[in-house]
Amino acid sequence: MRIKERVGEVVDAFATPLRASHYVELVNPLWSSHRLQARVEDVWDETPDARTLTLRPGRGWRRHRAGQHIRVGVPIDGRRFTRTYSISSSPERRDGCITITVKVLEGGRMSGHLVRDLRPGTHLPIGLPQGDFLVPEAVPVRPLLVTAGSGITPVMSMLRTWALVGNMPDVAHLHYAPTRHDVIFGAELERLAAEHRRYDLHTVLTRSDGGSHFCREQLDALCPDWQEREVWVCGPQGLIEAVEDHHRDAPGARPVHVERFRASLAEIDADARGGTATFLSGGTEVEADADATTPLLRVAEDAGLNPAHGCRMGICHTCDVPLATGSVRDLRTGDLIDEPGRAVQICTAAAAGDCTIDLQETS
Amino acid sequence: MTAPHTTLPLDLDAEEVEAIGRELDAIYDETIASLGTDDERYIKRLIRTQRTLAVGSRVVMEAGALLRARRGRGVRSGPGARVGLGLLGLGAVGLGLAKVLENMEIGHNVMHGQWDWMDDPEISSTTWEWDTTCASDHWKHGHNIVHHTWTNVMGKDRDIGYEILRTSSEQPWNPVYLAQPAYNTLLMLLFEYGVGLHELDPEKLLSGTTEEKATQVELLRGFARKAGRQMAKDYVLWPALAGPRFADVAVANASANLLRNVWAYLIIFCGHFPDGVHLFDCQVVEDETRAGWYLRQLLAAANIEGSGPFHLVSGNLSFQIEHHLFPDMPSNRYAEVSVRVRGLCERYGLPYNTGRFSRQIGTTMRKIWRYALPGGEDSRTDAPAVAEPARAAA
Ligand code: FES
């Protein structure tokens, strides 16, 4: 390993101030080692507003675990945006590709672009797989999966893996979607259910058949043995809260694993106040008015800065920067951070009075 | 001797000045708002082309050296050797051009933050390191902050004559300047080292406070680190690949660097030293408004006329006026913006210093020779800032 590194250093010295990888990239972006990229191999429309992208990650990729997500950067009108998407393919997939499935969010620029404009052959910067919404390595005995909308994507990776390795556990699956046309992977889910006796799928259509949202009676009716099952839930905030509330009060309930697509935020007092946020960046200072609820990442971006970020929901820590002075509030917990030098996740922290944030150069 | 301007040498009232400022702001805002995919494609394609040219030229050079190496083993002369020499020359010119593109149209502009709007961490002013012996972080301070803020303000802008040249009768004379035609030539040939050491303040290094000395030493260290790596690449590593023809490749690389140095020097000197640019006294910047700053930039810079390819290899610094008005606007937009800036100048009777390359470099060189001697009343330098006929027509 040492020798390989040494050789790498010498080869890079020929390319200084760049690295050899910057030239390798000219031949094929997937061969570069200084940044990870993926080529869009295929696009497939799952529903009118959800599309699956098949991506071939380049050198430096490491295999994901079912349930994990990646950061994806997409240039729109020349600008790069970064968002996080769950991987919906199984890590057991043979061709070295992964899939992500993107649903258009209302007013979502990035999702709109990914679903409508992206063409095969495009290269996108991606991050390594992250996240701990995982099923144990040993197949769980009796999982209960609760999903809604695009919350199906990480769970799909799990189901596909169990199906691929021929070890489908005794699964109960509740999936919610407004109408039949909105069920992402609808046909595949039904095929899985038909092929695997132990996979028990219940698709609840909330806007037809008089289907309702998650509630106790429904759970009792569709999955009477829920008390014996460990739960994985992924979907909108409302669903997650409903399941968590239910299980908190239910005697003898098993643990709940949660994957969120938005950070869940604590209530902030009505009299909480913001202040002036000062951002130190490359020897200059930028000041901006920050209220008590807008994440400092947004405040900085609105002030024309571009701090490093990834998920924008407090999971990837790409946006961590030290607090220089003043205090900020973690919007998820409501906790006050006022110790200089403490790392602040600016995507989920807002000003609490005046504060100075050190957007040091990330290298 | 003439005095530097203590107020802007313009026949405008405060209201007109502010109106001009608003127009320039509007030009900037409209252009920035229109940035998009085409601009992104421009810079990415340019970077790809530049890197391909750089690596291709080096390969051609090595091939040339190898062909010449074979001559040593008996093939005394003949077409092989001549082709080898040709390839070396071709490689040197190609690499020189690649370095010109990298330093000027790409590096200089990226480090101004012109491409930061893309949010691409690879093409960002915070991370770019360019292919010269000058360390990026030193340059960004000295150039972006000091020079672009205090443009042509005597005592504040270290770029006036690069601190060592007297380029105007407004700078007091000193016998050292007698030698300036000589050291000016040296500066031209070794321009990258001049830029690399530009931030250094020898006085502070020798007799400053402990703290000042420490900063100066840190500057020197940073320069040595960067220059060391650059020189190892061009004068050790790549030549070593050519084995016995080590010297061939080293000389070819030196030629490429020389070509880049001379070109960068010429373009940059044409931007601030030709006839018709103005120097200012510190008083000008007291209570200077944004509009006033714009006008000072306008009076302190000079453009060079030329074709599309000429502007490209000049890093669009041939639009020095536009660059000084809008230093963080992507350079590929300067050409279209220049039409509007020029129109505005004509309407208000403002000078717009532009001319052929020969005129700009000619008057610059004449100054460097002339001001080596004391005095120097130069009527052309002191040309009235307000162009009379245009003013009358406005
Ligand atoms: S952007 Fe991912 S934690 Fe803040």
Side-chain angles (χ1 to χ4, degrees), chain A residues 297 309-320 345-347:
Chain A
L297 175 61
H309 66 270
C311 64
R312 307 180 79 91
M313 54 183 170
I315 50 180
C316 69
H317 287 276
T318 315
C319 67
D320 285 12
Q345 276 173 287
I346 53 172
C347 69

Side-chain angles (χ1 to χ4, degrees), chain B residues 254-273:
Chain B
S255 316
N257 281 328
L258 187 73
L259 183 82
R260 179 268 318 271
N261 285 351
V262 172
W263 183 248
Y265 164 96
L266 291 176
I267 293 301
I268 287 156
F269 271 52
C270 282
H272 289 296
F273 305 129

Side-chain angles (χ1 to χ4, degrees), chain A residues 10 13-18 22-23 25-26 34-35 75-81 281-284 301 305-306 309 361-363, chain B residues 35-37 40 44 48 51-52 54-55 116-122 126-127 129-131 140 145 226 229-230 233 237-238 241:
Chain A
V10 173
F14 278 89
T16 193
L18 298 173
H22 287 100
Y23 294 97
E25 186 184 44
L26 297 171
H34 68 286
R35 61 166 168 174
I76 305 173
D77 296 335
R79 281 192 64 169
R80 168 167 315 176
F81 294 80
S281 139
T284 57
E301 286 175 339
L305 298 165
N306 58 339
H309 66 270
E361 289 169 20
T362 44
S363 51
Chain B
L35 294 174
T37 316
E40 179 210 10
K44 290 195 172 159
R48 259 202 315 274
R51 286 181 187 167
T52 310
V55 76
D116 285 3
W117 62 274
M118 296 195 303
D119 281 357
D120 183 335
E122 293 263 308
T126 56
T127 55
E129 192 60 65
W130 54 352
D131 186 8
K140 275 187 285 188
I145 301 176
K226 178 78 197 283
R229 275 200 296 267
Q230 291 288 125
K233 170 177 76 166
L237 293 170
W238 283 97
L241 283 191

Side-chain angles (χ1 to χ4, degrees), chain A residues 87-338:
Chain A
I87 301 173
S88 54
S89 56
S90 162
E92 306 295 327
R93 193 181 157 128
R94 280 295 144 80
D95 62 356
C97 290
I98 55 168
T99 60
I100 58 171
T101 302
V102 182
K103 193 167 152 25
V104 187
L105 299 172
E106 216 163 310
R109 271 232 283 180
M110 167 113 174
S111 56
H113 176 80
L114 283 175
V115 172
R116 314 235 185 274
D117 310 329
L118 203 67
R119 301 270 168 274
T122 313
H123 288 93
L124 302 174
I126 61 170
L128 286 172
Q130 292 180 321
D132 47 13
F133 183 67
L134 304 166
V135 288
E137 293 283 10
V139 177
V141 191
R142 309 190 69 196
L144 165 59
L145 310 176
V146 186
T147 54
S150 56
I152 182 70
T153 49
V155 164
M156 200 63 215
S157 179
M158 300 174 184
L159 290 170
R160 283 171 168 162
T161 303
W162 293 327
L164 257 173
V165 301
N167 191 3
M168 183 66 76
D170 177 355
V171 189
H173 186 180
L174 265 56
H175 181 64
Y176 297 83
T179 73
R180 184 150 304 284
H181 304 291
D182 300 308
V183 182
I184 300 175
F185 309 130
E188 187 176 350
L189 287 171
E190 264 156 40
R191 210 183 57 237
L192 281 175
E195 281 168 13
H196 298 269
R197 197 177 35 81
R198 307 212 295 162
Y199 173 49
D200 187 17
L201 170 72
H202 300 278
T203 307
V204 183
L205 302 174
T206 51
R207 225 174 276 158
S208 47
D209 326 336
S212 73
H213 290 281
F214 179 90
C215 64
R216 169 119 211 197
E217 295 71 46
Q218 195 185 52
L219 185 63
D220 284 334
L222 298 178
C223 180
D225 60 352
W226 58 265
Q227 257 161 329
E228 294 154 35
R229 293 176 179 272
E230 202 165 328
V231 186
W232 278 265
V233 51
C234 182
Q237 191 57 28
L239 175 75
I240 291 173
E241 268 165 27
V243 174
E244 280 182 326
D245 288 348
H246 174 267
H247 266 58
R248 194 173 310 119
D249 304 335
R254 309 288 311 272
V256 180
H257 306 269
V258 170
E259 176 78 323
R260 300 173 196 279
F261 286 119
R262 298 274 161 79
S264 76
L265 306 179
E267 300 246 356
I268 300 289
D269 290 349
D271 58 358
R273 54 186 192 96
T276 303
T278 309
F279 300 99
L280 312 176
S281 139
T284 57
E285 282 186 17
V286 177
E287 279 189 7
D289 287 334
D291 63 34
T293 53
T294 309
L296 287 162
L297 175 61
R298 274 266 307 282
V299 175
E301 286 175 339
D302 291 345
L305 298 165
N306 58 339
H309 66 270
C311 64
R312 307 180 79 91
M313 54 183 170
I315 50 180
C316 69
H317 287 276
T318 315
C319 67
D320 285 12
V321 284
L323 179 69
T325 62
S327 52
V328 302
R329 193 179 299 281
D330 187 323
L331 292 169
R332 292 164 299 172
T333 56
D335 291 348
L336 209 61
I337 302 173
D338 55 2

